[in-house]
Amino acid sequence: MTKKIILATIISTVILFLWSGLTQMFPWGVPTTQTIISQSDKQTASFQTPDLIELPANSLTTKKFDEQFVNKISTLTTDKTFSWIISAPIDNYNVTGYFIKEIITQLIVSILLAILLTLTINLPNKQRLMLIAIVGLLAVTGIYVQMMNWWSMPSLYALGAGFNLIAGWLIAGFISSKFLIKSAAQ
């Protein structure tokens, strides 16, 4: 059984990693992002997009902005807006780092899915998958719905990301429960 759990974890990690990459192209993923650049020296060539809005350096930011906001979660209130700002040094943004952190994240999720399937091995697969869907709905509610409330995250993005999470977990759970950590009730 241990080999099956390890194999299910590895396969689920690959499925979830590929799914998370694919879902970035859904209408509520990367396409929802407004990409603006305002730099005196172009440091973010890898982040260029066809819809990039280029503004003169220092038209939106100043050294004081960077000093005040870097490595912090902040709010900024203007006469007409209230914004949540997460700011990090430009060096933090690199594709390799994103991929490594995403693989680790999906590995942890896959381990937990394998544990859930192992704990529910005496249930029929339909009930096991319903349990995964319920746990996914709990995660979506506790994360994305809360962020819609507190951070005013756009509904399309939050609900789309929630759909991506539940669908990905169900795909990985279905494959693992069908072929590896099979139900004893079937």
Side-chain angles (χ1 to χ4, degrees), residues 59-62 64-66 68-69 72-87 150-152:
S59 64
L60 293 176
T61 62
T62 64
K64 275 203 168 298
F65 179 92
D66 291 340
Q68 184 66 47
F69 289 96
K72 297 176 186 166
I73 297 175
S74 308
T75 62
L76 175 64
T77 305
T78 67
D79 290 339
K80 298 188 181 218
T81 63
F82 179 83
S83 303
W84 283 95
I85 299 171
I86 301 171
S87 185
W150 291 105
W151 292 66
S152 296

Side-chain angles (χ1 to χ4, degrees), residues 38-66:
S38 176
Q39 294 178 322
S40 53
D41 58 343
K42 304 295 181 223
Q43 301 173 41
T44 54
S46 64
F47 285 83
Q48 301 297 326
T49 63
D51 299 328
L52 180 68
I53 299 168
E54 289 192 64
L55 300 173
N58 302 317
S59 64
L60 293 176
T61 62
T62 64
K63 283 186 179 184
K64 275 203 168 298
F65 179 92
D66 291 340

Side-chain angles (χ1 to χ4, degrees), residues 131-145 165-166 169:
L131 188 58
I132 289 172
I134 290 168
V135 171
L137 193 55
L138 287 169
V140 167
T141 303
I143 299 165
Y144 294 112
V145 174
L165 182 143
I166 293 170
W169 289 11

Side-chain angles (χ1 to χ4, degrees), residues 75-133:
T75 62
L76 175 64
T77 305
T78 67
D79 290 339
K80 298 188 181 218
T81 63
F82 179 83
S83 303
W84 283 95
I85 299 171
I86 301 171
S87 185
I90 198 77
D91 296 344
N92 285 11
Y93 291 92
N94 69 73
V95 175
T96 303
Y98 282 150
F99 284 141
I100 290 168
K101 290 174 191 169
E102 186 64 15
I103 288 170
I104 292 169
T105 299
Q106 299 308 345
L107 174 64
I108 292 167
V109 170
S110 296
I111 290 168
L112 295 172
L113 280 174
I115 291 169
L116 182 61
L117 288 173
T118 303
L119 291 173
T120 60
I121 203 150
N122 292 321
L123 296 175
N125 273 344
K126 186 176 181 181
Q127 287 181 341
R128 296 166 87 198
L129 291 174
M130 276 198 315
L131 188 58
I132 289 172

